[in-house]
Amino acid sequence: MSLRRWLRDRRVPAATIAIALAAGVAQLLLWWFGPAPRTSDFVGPPRSSYTLSDARMTEFNAEGQPSFHLQSPHLERREGDDSLYLNAPTFQLPSKQAGVPDWRGRSLYGWVNKDGSQLKLQGPVEMQREAFGDTPAAHMQTADVTAWPKQNRLQTAAPAQMVQGGTRISGVGMRADLNDKHLELLDDVHATFPPRKR
């Protein structure tokens, strides 16, 4: 009996074997040429969703120094998302300079990404810093702020106003670097500077 005749008489089993061999070869090629499996950067057992009341949190930077403190009457981590969702958070951005007070503030809602490198403050946002040396106290009002606490930077596209002593500055859109006390207003800027005392 020839091979051709044998295959013709057994079409279904021969086709099944051919398909199984092709699938096996395809799987081997996928393992060989395919991307390496993703590794999880989380060490430990899987975390479940949770809700905390009267939560307090401190995030540290690479040098082990606090990069921000956060308090919220309601903090939530949702299933499948490592971000934190906050209601009525109050926050503190520690000063990186000796003798300079921390910025403190509050917002309506907040969000912190998985690694704590980005903080979104939603709704009205108020921030203040106490007076130090010959620098008067500062008060800032704006909305919908995106902050990078480890770098002490923040920005918003909303109207912003800052009052420091007799100085008043307002505009639409703001970028601030709290390390070097750099404030940039992007549009419709108005400012009042009192005369210097002699």
Side-chain angles (χ1 to χ4, degrees):
M1 183 188 312
S2 71
L3 180 61
R4 182 180 282 182
R5 188 173 183 193
W6 184 84
L7 287 174
R8 186 182 63 208
D9 292 343
R10 293 169 183 81
R11 284 183 188 155
V12 173
T16 303
I17 292 169
I19 291 172
L21 285 172
V25 169
Q27 184 63 47
L28 284 173
L29 289 173
L30 179 64
W31 283 335
W32 194 357
F33 293 113
R38 278 184 59 194
T39 58
S40 174
D41 58 352
F42 178 74
V43 177
R47 297 191 309 183
S48 62
S49 296
Y50 55 83
T51 301
L52 299 175
S53 297
D54 297 323
R56 295 171 189 255
M57 179 179 88
T58 300
E59 175 76 26
F60 293 89
N61 62 19
E63 292 82 36
Q65 301 297 321
S67 60
F68 73 94
H69 304 286
L70 198 59
Q71 290 179 240
S72 176
H74 181 87
L75 178 147
E76 185 176 327
R77 180 187 169 273
R78 296 180 188 152
E79 182 101 26
D81 184 2
D82 290 330
S83 301
L84 300 175
Y85 298 83
L86 313 153
N87 286 350
T90 58
F91 56 91
Q92 180 179 353
L93 298 170
S95 170
K96 306 283 195 262
Q97 299 171 356
V100 178
D102 301 340
W103 279 95
R104 300 176 184 274
R106 65 176 181 257
S107 68
L108 191 59
Y109 298 105
W111 173 86
V112 181
N113 70 347
K114 177 181 175 180
D115 62 2
S117 62
Q118 189 177 47
L119 167 67
K120 291 199 178 206
L121 302 166
Q122 298 157 325
V125 177
E126 287 189 39
M127 295 174 63
Q128 55 272 340
R129 184 182 65 197
E130 296 172 7
F132 63 97
D134 60 353
T135 303
H139 184 260
M140 189 182 303
Q141 286 183 305
T142 186
D144 302 326
V145 171
T146 301
W148 294 269
K150 293 179 181 180
Q151 301 163 11
N152 245 4
R153 291 186 312 113
L154 52 94
Q155 74 178 31
T156 181
Q161 179 183 41
M162 185 171 133
V163 177
Q164 186 170 23
T167 302
R168 296 178 181 277
I169 304 171
S170 65
V172 177
M174 176 192 71
R175 291 185 200 130
D177 187 329
L178 303 179
N179 290 328
D180 62 6
K181 301 177 204 148
H182 178 83
L183 176 71
E184 181 181 1
L185 294 168
L186 306 178
D187 192 28
D188 194 25
V189 178
H190 300 277
T192 304
F193 298 99
R196 285 188 170 185
K197 294 181 182 175
R198 292 187 180 191

